Amino acid sequence: MPSARAISTAALLSTATLLACSLASCAPAAQDGSRRGDGGAATEGRGEARFREQTLHWRDCPAPSPLQGGGEVPAPLPDGTRWQCATLRAPLDWEKPSGESMGVALIRARSSGGAEDRIGSLLFNFGGPGGSGVTGLPGLAPGYENLRSRYDLVSFDPRGVGDSRGVRCLDAGAAEAAETEIDDIPDDGGDESEALAGFHRLTAAACRKNSGDVLPHVGTAGAARDMDLMRHVLGDEKLHYFGVSYGTELGGVYAHLFPDNVGRAVLDGVVDPTRDAMEEALGQAAGFQLAYEHFAAWCAEQRCTLGGSTEEIVEAAVALEAALDEAPLRVSDGGELDGDELIDAISGSLYSRRLWPALLVGLEALTRGDGDVLLDLAETLGQHGADGDPDDGTDGTDGTDENASNGSNGSNQNDAFRAITCADSSSRYTVAEVEEKLPEFVEASPLFGPALAWSTLACAGWPVPGEAERPDVSAPGAAPVLLIGSTGDPATPYQGAARMAERLGRGVGFALTYRGEGHGAFDSGNACVRDAVHTYLLDGRLPERGAVCEAEQVSGGK
């Protein structure tokens, strides 16, 4: 099963394609001068001024590169607006701005409104970490068309991602080999768990070989500093921002580093900044379990054949996973559906309430011996091979290659996820520590807990020390930040929004509750949530404190 933070981007972007609609770690403390008004005056003497004085050269966007996932040139928007791309130059090491520089890939669509109505640029990060904003924004832009009336829509590949010095680790052959050689949910309590840890150490060595020069500099704090440079070069006095999932952590770290530069900001699907990596994974186990129970209750209402009650339908999924883990099921194209892929299909489908009917059909088909629907779901939603424990392995070599890339679509999102996560988090868990915590994960979720527990080994053997156990998002004096928490969010459980609000500081974090399902509320299409976001970003008016948006009733059926 994928780590929830990792699959956020893949699930959001792939689901958007599937449905032809939008779905939607830790940072170091502030360094010298970082909390001053323009975030850079104190360090310009060390070489930062050369970056702040640059001019961006915008051009029509080319087709995405292989590290961005490939594909076609982004199509113009319905009004004919063409997508423009540029490269921002930034220090590779923000602590040594006179040293080597790197390029940060940007994309934008100009505002559709007149100059008198334009507020500035609205910067997006859709999550991950590891997702390319250059490829993500064009696919999701229709959902943000109202915001384009007053903003240029802008996104980017964060450092280490895609065309921003994308991290490369294991080659594609080694990645494919692990599909059968490495069990990412060990069940023997010995050799399999040690093999998984060994695989992570192998991956770390490959990352060091192929991208060792950039690994120390891909953390969230560096990306936040890049965003403030973008703000300045784009000509904006304040940074206006929309972050989803991991993008909320990035937004919180930005607010901490540059509180005086925060403009109108929305954080949707909020990461809990109070938890370390193990605590976060345990919270996600409970979050996915709750989301599946909500699905099961709906399934029972539909009189599905999986069971007559929530409890029976939950138990049915656990039994199906165990059976597939023991004996994978052959599907019509000659492939196999195993227990990991079943969990992938279920977890991916919980990211959007609109996918519940497809999941219901797939599970019912599985009980009849047909795994085609669920395998299609797992692959289409980007879960298979798009997680925090990439489906990489060893083919008898060290697994490194000059063209290494292991995303399910050819992108480097898996490698970037690992690199950014391990640069941020100082946690380095051992097999013994995971085994000790495993009963708590199983108690939180017998279905999702084991996979999430073992996913915490991902930074084993990482060659760069992480910054801290938890991100610092305290931002006293910053402008209000609108935080949206969904009560049925599997990946970033609802409590995270309140905890982020508390950590940002009094008068800064402003939480809005969405009583609904799925990861991220804005892209659920809920009119109340959309109105609240539009009103704040376009007119500067926040909803009343304690405001709640109720999910619209969605008809179901088989």
Side-chain angles (χ1 to χ4, degrees):
M1 175 191 164
S3 166
R5 289 180 66 214
I7 66 177
S8 58
T9 298
L12 289 168
L13 301 186
S14 298
T15 302
T17 302
L18 177 67
L19 300 177
C21 64
S22 298
L23 299 179
S25 331
C26 303
Q31 304 296 326
D32 294 342
S34 63
R35 292 178 62 83
R36 294 176 58 168
D38 203 28
T43 57
E44 283 192 356
R46 294 185 291 163
E48 202 172 302
R50 65 186 173 120
F51 298 104
R52 294 167 58 80
E53 294 168 359
Q54 69 184 290
T55 299
L56 295 173
H57 300 288
W58 295 98
R59 65 195 186 283
D60 286 348
C61 290
S65 72
L67 284 181
Q68 290 175 321
E72 302 296 325
V73 173
L77 291 164
D79 67 356
T81 298
R82 301 178 69 87
W83 290 97
Q84 298 178 316
C85 288
T87 299
L88 178 83
R89 301 305 303 180
L92 176 63
D93 182 352
W94 272 102
E95 294 307 306
K96 298 177 181 178
S98 296
E100 184 181 352
S101 69
M102 62 172 286
V104 177
L106 306 180
I107 189 169
R108 76 173 179 186
R110 299 304 297 266
S111 171
S112 60
E116 67 280 2
D117 295 323
R118 183 180 179 276
I119 294 172
S121 300
L122 181 62
L123 191 63
F124 289 85
N125 181 283
F126 299 107
S132 166
V134 172
T135 59
L137 181 58
L140 295 168
Y144 305 106
E145 185 62 22
N146 283 358
L147 298 174
R148 197 166 69 88
S149 65
R150 301 199 69 187
Y151 293 97
D152 295 345
L153 306 185
V154 181
S155 193
F156 64 108
D157 288 356
R159 49 181 52 219
V161 177
D163 283 1
S164 297
R165 292 289 289 270
V167 171
R168 298 170 295 115
C169 299
L170 288 164
D171 65 36
E176 186 175 354
E179 186 72 21
T180 56
E181 295 179 11
I182 301 294
D183 187 353
D184 60 5
I185 310 178
D187 55 15
D188 70 347
D191 291 344
E192 288 185 0
S193 56
E194 291 299 336
L196 179 61
F199 159 68
H200 289 307
R201 289 190 288 270
L202 174 72
T203 302
C207 295
R208 179 175 57 188
K209 175 182 177 182
N210 288 321
S211 297
D213 57 340
V214 74
L215 292 184
H217 310 300
V218 298
T220 296
R225 294 179 184 277
D226 294 340
M227 293 201 309
D228 199 63
L229 180 61
M230 291 175 210
R231 173 198 62 78
H232 180 84
V233 174
L234 289 168
D236 292 328
E237 180 180 354
K238 302 288 185 179
L239 181 81
H240 307 296
Y241 180 74
F242 199 133
V244 181
S245 193
Y246 161 78
T248 67
E249 182 175 318
L250 177 57
V253 169
Y254 178 88
H256 170 68
L257 294 175
F258 304 99
D260 295 340
N261 295 349
V262 175
R264 299 175 187 177
V266 173
L267 307 183
D268 186 11
V270 183
V271 171
D272 186 342
T274 69
R275 294 179 168 179
D276 64 22
M278 186 71 77
E279 293 165 341
E280 182 181 21
L282 184 58
Q284 288 169 342
F288 274 96
Q289 183 70 22
L290 178 64
Y292 185 72
E293 289 172 0
H294 290 176
F295 162 80
W298 171 83
C299 184
E301 291 175 0
Q302 307 306 309
R303 300 177 184 249
C304 66
T305 61
L306 298 171
S309 68
T310 299
E311 293 74 16
E312 290 180 0
I313 295 168
V314 170
E315 291 171 1
V318 174
L320 288 167
E321 189 275 334
L324 289 171
D325 193 47
E326 183 70 23
L329 177 66
R330 281 280 183 184
V331 295
S332 61
D333 66 358
E336 290 184 337
L337 176 73
D338 62 21
D340 291 352
E341 285 152 339
L342 173 63
I343 299 301
D344 289 346
I346 295 174
S347 60
S349 299
L350 296 177
Y351 270 69
S352 170
R353 170 63 178 76
R354 291 186 289 256
L355 284 172
W356 285 10
L359 177 60
L360 185 157
V361 170
L363 288 173
E364 289 190 326
L366 180 59
T367 64
R368 301 190 298 270
D370 180 357
D372 286 9
V373 174
L374 288 174
L375 187 58
D376 285 347
L377 273 176
E379 293 176 344
T380 303
L381 292 175
Q383 310 309 304
H384 187 62
D387 55 33
D389 306 316
D391 288 329
D392 309 328
T394 173
D395 57 0
T397 69
D398 66 0
T400 60
D401 183 80
E402 288 298 315
N403 298 308
S405 175
N406 66 355
S408 58
N409 59 351
S411 75
N412 82 318
Q413 63 182 18
N414 296 340
D415 292 337
F417 168 84
R418 189 189 297 268
I420 295 168
T421 299
C422 299
D424 283 348
S425 175
S426 60
S427 299
R428 300 290 186 264
Y429 299 110
T430 65
V431 168
E433 288 172 319
V434 174
E435 290 176 339
E436 181 181 357
K437 297 290 290 186
L438 193 57
E440 292 183 47
F441 279 82
V442 173
E443 182 179 0
S445 174
L447 190 58
F448 304 105
L452 282 162
W454 289 109
S455 76
T456 62
L457 285 179
C459 294
W462 196 250
V464 177
E467 289 291 348
E469 286 190 339
R470 302 169 181 85
D472 191 345
V473 298
S474 61
V481 176
L482 178 60
L483 312 171
I484 310 172
S486 302
T487 57
D489 194 319
T492 52
Y494 171 67
Q495 298 83 355
R499 291 170 182 161
M500 177 71 82
E502 181 181 0
R503 287 300 173 93
L504 285 170
R506 184 181 297 274
V508 180
F510 199 101
L512 169 69
T513 294
Y514 170 56
R515 288 201 183 113
E517 307 299 331
H519 182 44
F522 182 85
D523 286 332
S524 71
N526 181 267
C528 173
V529 171
R530 284 180 169 264
D531 287 346
V533 170
H534 291 157
T535 299
Y536 182 47
L537 290 179
L538 297 176
D539 301 325
R541 299 196 313 273
L542 287 162
E544 293 185 5
R545 288 201 174 275
V548 176
C549 289
E550 301 283 354
E552 293 96 346
Q553 292 297 317
V554 180
S555 60
K558 295 183 284 181

